[in-house]
Amino acid sequence: QAGTEPAYVKEIKRLQELYAGRMNILLALEADYIPGLSYGFSTQKSNLGLDYIIGSVHLVKNSHNDVLWFIDGPKREIYDKGLNELFGGDIRKGVTAYWQQINRMIQEEEFDIIGHLDKIKMHNQGRWFNEDEQWYLDLVNETIALIAEKDLIVEVNTRGIYKGRSETLFPGEYILAGLKERGVRITLSSDAHQPHELSMWFEDAIATIKNSGFKMLSTFSEGKWTEVELT
């Protein structure tokens, strides 16, 4: 019904009042970017009454059809199958398509945070490519430059580590160093799917972030992004 406040907004407002002064409760969304298929981020933010949007890529589109390569989830067999079916097993083509899709998202959409930036490495685990190969570094550096140009915040995501699917943070230390060099802001997230995961691996993540030269984290409060000192 037109003009009726959605139930989820009412619930958020109720919780905000209940926990006022004790907890900062926000309404946000991780939005998937798929060229030609996903809804515009700014429209979603306006229609859903969101405080902010995290833009992410979980499904990679090739240039020939709308079949998608699912790079996430617990089963690397699905990753391998999609790579073979959509890109003929050519990891360089598949990975390049991933980073190019990230770049299109940065250039075409309006959002606040990039989620798990180098997620493409999760099911690789040293099998298909090495992250220090020059072609891969060139893709990474191009994206870092775009992020800096658009003044976006990058999420430092711990989920891959505590779920045993990655030996490093999303993004890894090379990218963190590149972000620091270009003055890109970061925020910290566990990408929790369950309450007990809310702050998992934060202590070690903060140590890694500090080692990369960061002294501040971005946090959203009272309708804006502010910087808080790492302790």
Side-chain angles (χ1 to χ4, degrees):
Q1 183 177 350
T4 301
E5 192 170 62
Y8 68 87
V9 174
K10 291 180 180 179
E11 178 63 7
I12 288 293
K13 288 182 177 180
R14 183 187 73 81
L15 293 171
Q16 287 171 336
E17 292 179 5
L18 179 64
Y19 291 100
R22 291 182 289 164
M23 185 184 301
N24 187 26
I25 297 176
L26 305 171
L27 180 61
L29 176 70
E30 181 181 15
D32 228 329
Y33 175 75
I34 308 170
L37 296 176
S38 55
Y39 291 105
F41 290 179
S42 59
T43 300
Q44 293 187 65
K45 184 176 181 180
S46 176
N47 289 348
L48 300 176
L50 304 175
D51 291 302
Y52 63 87
I53 281 184
I54 302 170
S56 299
V57 171
H58 304 86
L59 296 150
V60 180
K61 185 179 178 184
N62 69 16
S63 58
H64 306 298
N65 52 50
D66 288 338
V67 180
L68 302 173
W69 178 28
F70 184 47
I71 65 161
D72 201 4
K75 295 182 179 180
R76 70 181 187 179
E77 294 84 0
I78 294 175
Y79 179 99
D80 293 357
K81 181 180 179 183
L83 176 64
N84 286 319
E85 290 181 350
L86 273 73
F87 299 99
D90 188 329
I91 191 63
R92 187 164 176 171
K93 284 184 179 178
V95 170
T96 298
Y98 170 82
W99 285 103
Q100 288 178 343
Q101 194 164 314
I102 291 281
N103 293 348
R104 284 190 63 180
M105 177 178 70
I106 294 169
Q107 293 169 316
E108 295 178 4
E109 298 290 350
E110 295 180 14
F111 60 110
D112 303 82
I113 300 171
I114 294 184
H116 45 65
L117 180 59
D118 58 353
K119 186 82 162 184
I120 193 66
K121 74 186 181 188
M122 186 176 79
H123 286 308
N124 176 55
Q125 298 176 346
R127 299 180 304 131
W128 294 91
F129 68 94
N130 294 317
E131 293 173 62
D132 59 358
E133 294 179 57
Q134 193 58 52
W135 67 268
Y136 184 80
L137 296 178
D138 289 344
L139 291 169
V140 165
N141 291 332
E142 180 182 8
T143 299
I144 291 173
L146 285 174
I147 291 168
E149 180 183 325
K150 293 291 186 176
D151 193 27
L152 295 170
I153 299 167
V154 171
E155 172 201 54
V156 178
N157 183 310
T158 65
R159 185 170 179 81
I161 293 181
Y162 69 76
K163 296 296 287 186
R165 297 173 190 159
S166 176
E167 295 182 356
T168 56
L169 295 164
F170 302 131
E173 291 183 44
Y174 175 86
I175 295 179
L176 284 173
L179 296 171
K180 179 64 177 68
E181 183 178 348
R182 287 184 171 268
V184 175
R185 295 171 293 162
I186 61 170
T187 192
L188 180 60
S189 169
S190 64
D191 198 346
H193 293 196
Q194 302 291 336
H196 72 274
E197 297 173 344
L198 279 171
S199 59
M200 289 192 74
W201 223 80
F202 271 16
E203 186 175 340
D204 290 323
I206 288 171
T208 299
I209 289 167
K210 287 181 176 179
N211 287 339
S212 298
F214 287 94
K215 293 180 171 52
M216 310 290 283
L217 285 178
S218 290
T219 183
F220 192 88
S221 180
E222 297 181 355
K224 63 182 180 180
W225 289 99
T226 57
E227 297 291 289
V228 296
E229 188 173 359
L230 282 165
T231 56

